[in-house]
Amino acid sequence: MDWKEKYKPAVPKRYLLLLAGLLWLFAGVLLSTIGLFWIFPVKHRIVFWLMPVAVILGVIKGKFILYKAANRAVKRIYGHPERACFASMFSWKTWLLIGSMMSIGQILRSLPYPRDYLGLIYVLIGPALATSSIVYWKS
């Protein structure tokens, strides 16, 4: 056995499903919570009227767009051997997308936009991720 195999952080494939589901759920809840904290101190009402719309659009996005991505990840995980590297739950392309989305979030937070409108974006993305995490829990 070479050193790569000896020190590879391999876990059973059922844990990959658990880790992926937890990652999507945690990110969704975190984004939603941050978004709500930015929205609630706001004085103008338009943001409060748009918040339920953002949540509904987020759930729709999760159901029709992110479900597909989650299903691809589940198929990928089922294609692995019984023990696989924990980072292999997503493809490199997906990891790059996650990194770029985090970078875009950092950039948006550094811009002089009001936090309440950015909070609406977070409240839209959060439920989408949390809704699509159901795919992992079903698997």
Side-chain angles (χ1 to χ4, degrees), residues 89-107:
M89 66 183 129
F90 301 127
S91 67
W92 284 106
K93 186 170 124 180
T94 303
W95 281 115
L96 286 173
L97 181 65
I98 291 169
S100 61
M101 293 294 286
M102 291 170 65
S103 298
I104 290 169
Q106 289 285 68
I107 292 167

Side-chain angles (χ1 to χ4, degrees), residues 5 8-17 76-86 88:
E5 288 299 317
K8 182 165 101 174
V11 295
K13 108 169 98 169
R14 69 176 183 264
Y15 292 141
L16 293 178
L17 291 167
R76 176 182 171 79
I77 291 169
Y78 278 130
H80 288 325
E82 187 50 42
R83 293 182 58 84
C85 178
F86 76 93
S88 68

Side-chain angles (χ1 to χ4, degrees), residues 8 16 20 25-26 28 35 38 41 43 49 52 60 66 84 109 116-117 126 130 132 136-138:
K8 182 165 101 174
L16 293 178
L25 181 63
F26 177 74
W38 288 344
K43 308 266 188 292
W49 289 104
I60 291 169
L66 293 181
R109 283 193 301 275
D116 47 345
Y117 293 112
S132 59
Y136 298 105
W137 305 122
K138 286 182 179 178

